[in-house]
C-alpha cells in the first residue's frame, strides 16, 4: 500500500542547464510537490467527505419488493437515475487522511484516463474482494475481513469472463446493513525493462484504482475499534455523538410564588423543590467528565452526593438561610452543562488529522442511509475541518474549560455574608459573560475558567464580581458603577440576604442614589397580624447596646469570628442604633433611655405578598434587577424581619408613595388630533409616556395642565401601545396613536360633452395609491353637489365629476378629498382651484351680432360696384333677425353689401350717423332657430363663418369683421378673416 505522507520529502534540487538528471533527482522533485499538495489539503482544508456520495438501492418495477422506486427517494430527486436493480451512488468529493482527493470515476478508452462529469453511478454486480496490497484498515489480527467489490454494468460488459460476479439484488435484505466503502487501491507495478533504444517509458507505474466495497456494519465497527489500524478520527467524533445522546435534557425549574406562600418554610420549600435536576445533572456531567478526562475531586464524595449536600444542606450547617443562592448555584451549573452540550456536536475540527485514520478509504454509511439535516449518519465520515477554515477548533478548549468551571463552581461555593453591593452585569447572555456571583470564591483558578475570550486574551482579571480582591486593580474594574455601563442590562444586587429588611432597603436605596441607578426597590411580607398602633417612642437600653458592641469587639480582638460574621451581627443592631440618631433623650430609670422619634421618619410600609400577587404577576428570582425594573425583598414578619429572598419585576412598580392616578378621555388618537388633556392624581404629578419601555417626548405642560400631544409621537411608535407613569409609578392606562392616511390627490383632464349645446364640464380626479384596505374616500367637489363617499377606488384611480356651468361664464371651484382609515383617522387633501368656463354654443350664438363693414380711410382702399356676399355659418345661410331691406328692382343679391360706387349692389348702407362717404356697414343678428342650426353642426363648439360671393363674380378684398355676443358691446372677435373665412368658438372667442 503506497501511503504518501508517512515519509514527507522536505527538499528538492534545482536543475542546471544541460544537466543530466537522475531518477532520484526527478522523483525527489515530484515527491516534494506532491507531499506539499497533500499536506495543504489535510492540514489547511480538512479531511473526510466534503459533499455528495449519497446512496440508495433502486429496485425494478417488476420486482417491487427488492427496492425503492427512484421517484420516491427524496435524497436522489435531483439525480438522473435511469438504471435499476443496483446500488446508486451520487457523485461526491472527499479527502483521505493521506491527502487523496476522491471522486467517483468512469473509465475511458485510455487506461490512465477517467471521466468524473456525471451525477450518479449504478453498481449492479458484486463479488468477494481480496485485498492483495494488505491494507491494514481491512484487517483484524492480520486477516482480511469479508468484503464485497461492486462494479457497474459497463465494467461488467468489459470483462472477459464475469462468472465470479453476481447480481446485487441477490444479496437480499442484508444489503441495507452493509456499509459502502470507497477504497483507493494504490500500489506500484514492477518496472518494465527498457527495450531497443527507446527508454522514455521506463519506470514503475503508480497505480491508483478506486474500488467500491461493501462490508457488514458490525465488521466495520470492529475494524474501527480493534482492527490492525484504528480510525481514531471517526471514533472520537462518533463518541461525541454518543455522548450528546447520553446527556439528559435539563432546564432549571422556576420558583413560582402564589398566595399559599405565607411562611418562611413555604418560601424555602419553593426554592428547594425547584432543585429536582440533581440526578440528571450528575449523570450528564459524569459522562462529559469521562469523555474529556476532567477530574472530579469533591473531597471523597461523588458528584451526586456533593450536589445533594450543597443544594439541600443539613439544617443548621449554614450560618445563613441562603437556599436562594444554592438554587442560583444549580441554575449556574445547568447553564454551564447546557453550554457544554451545545458545543459537543460542534467539535468537527482536526488540527493535525492522524494520517493512519483513513488514509486510502472513505466510509459512506449503510446502503440507503438518509442524510437528514441534524441527524447523524453511522459509519459515515463527516468532514473534519482544518482550524484555518473554522472556529470550531476552539470549541474543544471551551468544553474543557467549561467542564473545569463546573467543578470549580461546586468546590468554590461559599455561604458568604457581607455588605450590600451592586455589580453591573448582563441578563440574556452566556454565564461567562455575566458578573461572577458573590457566592463563589473568586480565586485565580475560577477566574481563568470563567470567560473563555478574556482568558484567551490574558484578561481574566477583568471580569466583574462582588469580590474584587483578585481582579485587576483598574478603577473601572474595582468600581464599575462609576464608569460607562451602556453595555450592561442588569444589576446584580448581593449582600442583603439575612439583613433586617429596612436595613437592606436603606442600603440598596443609598447605592441606587449614589450611582444614579434606574430601578425601584420594595419589600413584601409573608405574614401580617393586626397592625399595632405606631408608638411615638421606643425604649432603648444603652447598657444592652454597650454589651453587644463590647462582645463584637472582643470577638474581633480574639479572632473568634470572621469579618463576615461581624458585619452580620452589626447589621442586626442597625435598627436600634438608628434610633439614637436625631432623637430627644430623657432619663427614666437606671441605664434606660427613652427615645422619642418622629413616627414619619424611616417609615417603610410593606405589602402582604398574597395581596400583591392579586394585583401584579411576573415575580422572578434573578439575583438582581433590570434597569427600569423593581427589586423585591421578601421577609416573613415584623418579628422575623430578615430578608429571606429577592425577586424582581421588569418594570417600575408599587412604591409605597402617595397614590397616583391617570385618566384619559380617549384610549386612541390620530396623529393630527389636538393635544388631549389628562386627569392626574396628584394634580402636580409628573407624567411620562413610554413605548416598549423607552420614554417618548409626547407629554407637554401648559398652565399647570398636562397634555398628551399625538403629533409628537414618532412614526416608529405609531400603532404601538403607549404606557404611562405618574411620579415614576406605572398606571393602568394605555393609549394608541394611529397614523394619518396619506394619498396623492390631483385634477386631470377637463372635457366637455359631445353635445355642444351643453355648457357642463367633466373633470378627472386622480387618487394614488388605489390599494389601501380599510380606507374611505369622501369627495367634496366644491360646487354644492352632494358628497360622494367610496370604500373602493376604481382600478384606474380616476374619479370623474361633471360641473354644471353657465354658458360663457368662468367659475372657480375648490374640490377636496377626505380620506379616513380603519382607525378613524382622517386627512383632507385639496387640489389647485379649478377655473371652468361654461361652453354653451346655442346661447352664445342666439342674438350674436355679426358686423361686416368697410371703413374708409382705415381699411385698405375699397371701391367696387359689385361687392355682395352671403354670410354662412357651418355652410348654412344666416339671414338674421334684421335682414337688409328688399330691393324693389330685385337686382341686389346677398345680405352683405360692401359696394360703394353707386352700382346695382350699392344699397347705401352707411354707418350709423354717416351722411355720405365710401364706408359701408352690415349688421346681422342671429336668431334662435339659426343658433340651434349652427350649434348642431359645431365641432367641439367651433362654428365656421364664411363670406361667399352672392354674384357670379366677387370682389376678393378684405372686410373688417366683428362678432358680438348679444347685448355685449365688446366684440369677441375683431379682425380681417383670411379669404373672408373664420372658425371660432362663439362663447370664448377662441379661433382656429
Amino acid at each position: 500500500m503506497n501511503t504518501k505522507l508517512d515519509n514527507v520529502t522536505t527538499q528538492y534540487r534545482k536543475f542546471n542547464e544541460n544537466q543530466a538528471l537522475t531518477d532520484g533527482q526527478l522523483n525527489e522533485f515530484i515527491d516534494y510537490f506532491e507531499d506539499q499538495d497533500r499536506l495543504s489539503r489535510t492540514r489547511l482544508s480538512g479531511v473526510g467527505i466534503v459533499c455528495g456520495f449519497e446512496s440508495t438501492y433502486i429496485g425494478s418495477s417488476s420486482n417491487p419488493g427488492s427496492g425503492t422506486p427512484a421517484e420516491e427517494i427524496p435524497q436522489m430527486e435531483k439525480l438522473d437515475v435511469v438504471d435499476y436493480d443496483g446500488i446508486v451512488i451520487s457523485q461526491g468529493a472527499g479527502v483521505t487522511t493521506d491527502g487523496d482527493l476522491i471522486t467517483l470515476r468512469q473509465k475511458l478508452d485510455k487506461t490512465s484516463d477517467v471521466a468524473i462529469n456525471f451525477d450518479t453511478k449504478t453498481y449492479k454486480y458484486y463479488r468477494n474482494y481480496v485485498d492483495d496490497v494488505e491494507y491494514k484498515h481491512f484487517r483484524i489480527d492480520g486477516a482480511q475481513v469479508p468484503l464485497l467489490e461492486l462494479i457497474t454494468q459497463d465494467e461488467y460488459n468489459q470483462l472477459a469472463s464475469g462468472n465470479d460476479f453476481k447480481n446485487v439484488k441477490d444479496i437480499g435484505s442484508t444489503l441495507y446493513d452493509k456499509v459502502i466503502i470507497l477504497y483507493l487501491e494504490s500500489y506500484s507495478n514492477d518496472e518494465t525493462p527498457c527495450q531497443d533504444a527507446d527508454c522514455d517509458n521506463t519506470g514503475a507505474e503508480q497505480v491508483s484504482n478506486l474500488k467500491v466495497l461493501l462490508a457488514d456494519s458490525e465488521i466495520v465497527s470492529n475494524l474501527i475499534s480493534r482492527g490492525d489500524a484504528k480510525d481514531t478520527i471517526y471514533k472520537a467524533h462518533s463518541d461525541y455523538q454518543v455522548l450528546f445522546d447520553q446527556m439528559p435534557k435539563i432546564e432549571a425549574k422556576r420558583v413560582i410564588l402564589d398566595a399559599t406562600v405565607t411562611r418562611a418554610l413555604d418560601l424555602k420549600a419553593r426554592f428547594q423543590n425547584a432543585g429536582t435536576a440533581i440526578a440528571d445533572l450528575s449523570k450528564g456531567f459524569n459522562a462529559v467528565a469521562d469523555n474529556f478526562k476532567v477530574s472530579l475531586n469533591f473531597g471523597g464524595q461523588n458528584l451526586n452526593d456533593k450536589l445533594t449536600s450543597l443544594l439541600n444542606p443539613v439544617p443548621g450547617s449554614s450560618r445563613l438561610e441562603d437556599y436562594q443562592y444554592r438554587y442560583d448555584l444549580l441554575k449556574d451549573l445547568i447553564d454551564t452543562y447546557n453550554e457544554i452540550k451545545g458545543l459537543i456536536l460542534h467539535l468537527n475540527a482536526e488540527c493535525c488529522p492522524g494520517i493512519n485514520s483513513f488514509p486510502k478509504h472513505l466510509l459512506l454509511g449503510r446502503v440507503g442511509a438518509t442524510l437528514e439535516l441534524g441527524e447523524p449518519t453511522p459509519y459515515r465520515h463527516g468532514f473534519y475541518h482544518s482550524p484555518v477554515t473554522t472556529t470550531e477548533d476552539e470549541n474543544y478548549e471551551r468544553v474543557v474549560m467549561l467542564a473545569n468551571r463546573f467543578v470549580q463552581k461546586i468546590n468554590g461555593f461559599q455561604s458568604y455574608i457581607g455588605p450590600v453591593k451592586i455589580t453591573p452585569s448582563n441578563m440574556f447572555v452566556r454565564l461567562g459573560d455575566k458578573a461572577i456571583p458573590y457566592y463563589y470564591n473568586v480565586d485565580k483558578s475560577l477566574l481563568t475558567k470563567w470567560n473563555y475570550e478574556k482568558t484567551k486574551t490574558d484578561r481574566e482579571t477583568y471580569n466583574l464580581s462582588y469580590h474584587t480582591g483578585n481582579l485587576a486593580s483598574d478603577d473601572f474594574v474595582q468600581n464599575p458603577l462609576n464608569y460607562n455601563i451602556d453595555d450592561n442590562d442588569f444589576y446584580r444586587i448581593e449582600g442583603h440576604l439575612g439583613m433586617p429588611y429596612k436595613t437592606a432597603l436603606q442600603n440598596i436605596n443609598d447605592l441606587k442614589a449614589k450611582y444614579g441607578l434606574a430601578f425601584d426597590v420594595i419589600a413584601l411580607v409573608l405574614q401580617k397580624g393586626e397592625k399595632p398602633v405606631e408608638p411615638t417612642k421606643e425604649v432603648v437600653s444603652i447598657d444592652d447596646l454597650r454589651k453587644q458592641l463590647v462582645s463584637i469587639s472582643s470577638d474581633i480582638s480574639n479572632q473568634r469570628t470572621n469579618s463576615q460574621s461581624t458585619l452580620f451581627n452589626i447589621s442586626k443592631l442597625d435598627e436600634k442604633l438608628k434610633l439614637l440618631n436625631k432623637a430627644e433623650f430623657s432619663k427614666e430609670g437606671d441605664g434606660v433611655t427613652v427615645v422619642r422619634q418622629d413616627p414619619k421618619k424611616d417609615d417603610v410600609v410593606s405589602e402582604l405578598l398574597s395581596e400583591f400577587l392579586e394585583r401584579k404577576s411576573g415575580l422572578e428570582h434573578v439575583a438582581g434587577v433590570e434597569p427600569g425594573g423593581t427589586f423585591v425583598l421578601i421577609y416573613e414578619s415584623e418579628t422575623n424581619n430578615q430578608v429571606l429572598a429577592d425577586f424582581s419585576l421588569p418594570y417600575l412598580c408599587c412604591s409605597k408613595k402617595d397614590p397616583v392616578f391617570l385618566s384619559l378621555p380617549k384610549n386612541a388618537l390620530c396623529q393630527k388630533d389636538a393635544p388631549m388633556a389628562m386627569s392626574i392624581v396628584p394634580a402636580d404629578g409628573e407624567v411620562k409616556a413610554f413605548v416598549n419601555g423607552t420614554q417618548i417626548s409626547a407629554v407637554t405642560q401648559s398652565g399647570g395642565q398636562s397634555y398628551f400631544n399625538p403629533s409628537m409621537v414618532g412614526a416608529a411608535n405609531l400603532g404601538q401601545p403607549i404606557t404611562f407613569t405618574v411620579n415614576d409609578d406605572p398606571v393602568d392606562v394605555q393609549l394608541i396613536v394611529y397614523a394619518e392616511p396619506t394619498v396623492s390627490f390631483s385634477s386631470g383632464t377637463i372635457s366637455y360633452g359631445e353635445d355642444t349645446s351643453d355648457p357642463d364640464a367633466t373633470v378627472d380626479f386622480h387618487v394614488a395609491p388605489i390599494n389601501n384596505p380599510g380606507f374611505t374616500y369622501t369627495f367634496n367637489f366644491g360646487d354644492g353637489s352632494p358628497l360622494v363617499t367610496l370604500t373602493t377606488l376604481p382600478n384606474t384611480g380616476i374619479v370623474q365629476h361633471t360641473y354644471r356651468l353657465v354658458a360663457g361664464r368662468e367659475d372657480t371651484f375648490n374640490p377636496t378629498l377626505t380620506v379616513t382609515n380603519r382607525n378613524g383617522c382622517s386627512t383632507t387633501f385639496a387640489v389647485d382651484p379649478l377655473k371652468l368656463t361654461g361652453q354653451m354654443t346655442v346661447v352664445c350664438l342666439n342674438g350674436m351680432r355679426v358686423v361686416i363693414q368697410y371703413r374708409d380711410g382705415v381699411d385698405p382702399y375699397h371701391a367696387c360696384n359689385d361687392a355682395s356676399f352671403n354670410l354662412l355659418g357651418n355652410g348654412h345661410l344666416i339671414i338674421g333677425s334684421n335682414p337688409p331691406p328688399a330691393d324693389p328692382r330685385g337686382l341686389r343679391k346677398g345680405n352683405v353689401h360692401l359696394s360703394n360706387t353707386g352700382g346695382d349692389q350699392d344699397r347705401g348702407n352707411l354707418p350709423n350717423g354717416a351722411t355720405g362717404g365710401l364706408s359701408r356697414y352690415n349688421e346681422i343678428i342671429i336668431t334662435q332657430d339659426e343658433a340651434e342650426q349652427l350649434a348642431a353642426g359645431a365641432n367641439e363648439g367651433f362654428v365656421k363663418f364664411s363670406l361667399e360671393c352672392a354674384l357670379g363674380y366677387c370682389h376678393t378684398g378684405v372686410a373688417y369683421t366683428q362678432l358680438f355676443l348679444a347685448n355685449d358691446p365688446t366684440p369677441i372677435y375683431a379682425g380681417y378673416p383670411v379669404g373672408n373665412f373664420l372658425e371660432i368658438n362663439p362663447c370664448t372667442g377662441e379661433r382656429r
Side-chain angles (χ1 to χ4, degrees), residues 57-69 85 169 172-176:
Y57 175 68
I58 305 295
S60 64
S61 58
S62 61
N63 188 9
S66 63
T68 305
D85 294 326
K169 65 181 179 180
S173 60
T174 61
L175 177 67
Y176 296 103

Side-chain angles (χ1 to χ4, degrees), residues 588-761:
E588 289 189 6
D590 232 357
V592 177
T593 301
V594 177
V595 181
R596 291 184 176 85
Q597 185 184 28
D598 183 351
K600 293 184 180 179
K601 296 293 185 182
D602 197 33
D603 182 32
V604 177
V605 179
S606 300
E607 186 176 2
L608 196 63
L609 173 65
S610 57
E611 294 177 355
F612 177 87
L613 292 175
E614 291 178 359
R615 300 186 297 105
K616 300 290 180 183
S617 63
L619 286 174
E620 293 283 354
H621 168 67
V622 289
V625 66
E626 300 175 60
T630 302
F631 192 60
V632 181
L633 303 178
I634 295 182
Y635 66 100
E636 186 174 33
S637 65
E638 291 299 323
T639 303
N640 300 317
N641 63 359
Q642 293 178 330
V643 177
L644 300 174
D646 60 69
F647 287 76
S648 75
L649 292 169
Y651 51 86
L652 292 173
C653 169
C654 319
S655 299
K656 290 300 179 181
K657 305 173 183 177
D658 292 335
V660 296
F661 177 80
L662 173 65
S663 176
L664 301 176
K666 299 179 180 178
N667 59 10
L669 292 174
C670 297
Q671 192 177 14
K672 294 181 181 178
D673 285 351
M676 178 177 64
M678 299 185 288
S679 300
I680 307 167
V681 175
D684 60 347
E686 181 185 14
V687 182
K688 296 178 182 177
F690 300 84
V691 174
N692 294 326
T694 301
Q695 186 175 351
I696 60 173
S697 301
V699 178
T700 59
Q701 292 280 331
S702 178
Q705 173 68 55
S706 293
Y707 293 87
F708 184 87
N709 190 341
S711 65
M712 298 174 67
V713 177
N717 296 323
L718 296 175
Q720 299 291 319
I722 300 172
T723 58
F724 299 86
T725 63
V726 177
N727 292 340
D728 292 331
D729 282 347
V731 290
D732 292 327
V733 173
Q734 284 195 354
L735 175 69
I736 295 180
V737 177
Y738 293 108
E740 301 287 346
T742 301
V743 300
S744 68
F745 179 50
S746 60
S747 60
T749 303
I750 301 173
S751 57
Y752 295 89
E754 294 181 0
D755 181 2
T756 55
S757 66
D758 181 3
D760 301 335

Side-chain angles (χ1 to χ4, degrees), residues 244-520:
F244 181 86
D245 294 337
Q246 287 178 346
M247 295 176 70
K249 297 178 177 65
I250 306 174
E251 291 294 341
K253 292 185 67 175
R254 293 172 57 212
V255 177
I256 302 174
L257 302 182
D258 56 39
T260 64
V261 179
T262 58
R263 300 176 304 160
L265 289 176
D266 298 333
L267 184 63
K268 180 178 181 180
R270 292 299 171 95
F271 276 93
Q272 292 184 331
N273 290 340
T276 58
I278 294 176
D280 283 344
L281 189 60
S282 299
K283 175 185 175 182
F285 189 77
N286 276 324
V288 172
D290 290 344
N291 195 285
F292 293 96
K293 309 300 185 244
V294 176
S295 175
L296 300 181
N297 183 7
F298 300 122
Q301 288 182 294
N302 61 39
L303 177 57
N304 188 78
D305 293 343
K306 181 65 175 179
L307 289 177
T308 301
S309 64
L310 272 179
L311 300 176
N312 299 294
V314 176
S317 61
S318 175
R319 296 166 297 156
L320 180 68
E321 283 282 19
D322 57 355
Y323 49 80
Q324 124 171 339
Y325 290 134
R326 295 176 187 274
Y327 166 75
D328 288 339
L329 168 64
L330 176 63
K331 287 207 305 181
D332 291 350
L333 294 175
I334 292 175
D335 284 346
T336 301
Y337 170 86
N338 284 327
E339 190 173 349
I340 292 172
K341 186 175 182 181
L343 292 171
I344 292 296
L345 298 183
H346 294 277
L347 300 176
N348 291 329
E350 292 289 334
C351 177
C352 296
I355 295 172
N356 292 320
S357 287
F358 44 96
K360 295 297 176 182
H361 75 280
L362 292 173
L363 299 179
L364 306 190
R366 290 187 179 94
V367 174
T370 57
L371 308 182
E372 294 184 9
L373 185 64
E375 292 293 329
T377 303
Y379 307 114
R380 180 180 174 90
H381 283 122
F383 188 75
Y384 312 107
H385 294 267
S386 164
V388 76
T389 65
T390 180
T391 60
E392 289 192 357
D393 61 311
E394 293 183 350
N395 290 344
Y396 188 91
E397 295 177 4
R398 289 179 185 270
V399 168
V400 174
M401 190 202 78
L402 289 170
N404 284 305
R405 187 179 79 185
F406 187 97
V407 175
Q408 188 68 28
K409 287 189 296 188
I410 294 174
N411 288 327
F413 181 83
Q414 58 184 3
S415 184
Y416 192 80
I417 299 172
V420 177
K421 190 171 181 180
I422 301 176
T423 309
S425 184
N426 288 287
M427 189 76 169
F428 307 106
V429 294
R430 298 174 301 183
L431 183 62
D433 293 323
K434 299 180 181 181
I436 305 175
Y438 102 134
Y439 44 80
Y440 292 130
N441 177 18
V442 186
D443 58 10
K444 292 182 179 179
S445 180
L446 179 63
L447 283 173
T448 57
K449 299 174 180 65
W450 189 258
N451 183 289
Y452 176 83
E453 284 78 13
K454 288 181 179 177
T455 299
K456 185 178 179 181
T457 56
D458 197 25
R459 298 177 63 252
E460 63 269 14
T461 59
Y462 286 83
N463 288 290
L464 298 182
S465 177
Y466 177 99
H467 305 287
T468 60
N470 290 319
L471 300 184
S473 60
D474 304 72
D475 191 56
F476 62 84
V477 176
Q478 296 291 320
N479 300 288
L481 289 175
N482 286 328
Y483 295 87
N484 181 16
I485 55 175
D486 289 351
D487 292 334
N488 302 104
D489 59 9
F490 186 73
Y491 304 128
R492 285 197 69 88
I493 303 177
E494 299 159 319
H496 54 279
L497 207 65
M499 280 188 179
Y501 76 93
K502 290 185 180 180
T503 305
L505 278 170
Q506 186 62 53
N507 277 269
I508 295 172
N509 278 320
D510 288 347
L511 290 172
K512 186 180 78 168
K514 176 181 178 180
Y515 294 109
L517 304 179
F519 67 90
D520 206 351

Side-chain angles (χ1 to χ4, degrees), residues 777-790 799 801 814-818:
Y777 307 84
T778 300
F779 294 84
N780 182 344
F781 296 106
D783 58 353
S785 61
L787 302 181
V788 175
T789 299
L790 302 176
V799 176
H801 179 70
N814 295 286
T816 61
L817 169 62
T818 300

Side-chain angles (χ1 to χ4, degrees), residues 188-225:
S188 296
N189 275 334
D190 293 335
E191 182 175 347
T192 302
C194 179
Q195 297 179 355
D196 300 327
D198 184 5
C199 295
D200 290 342
N201 296 322
T202 62
E205 180 184 19
Q206 305 301 305
V207 179
S208 181
N209 292 327
L210 182 65
K211 301 290 186 178
V212 181
L213 307 178
L214 292 181
D216 291 341
S217 60
E218 182 178 356
I219 290 176
V220 174
S221 179
N222 291 333
L223 283 172
I224 292 171
S225 60

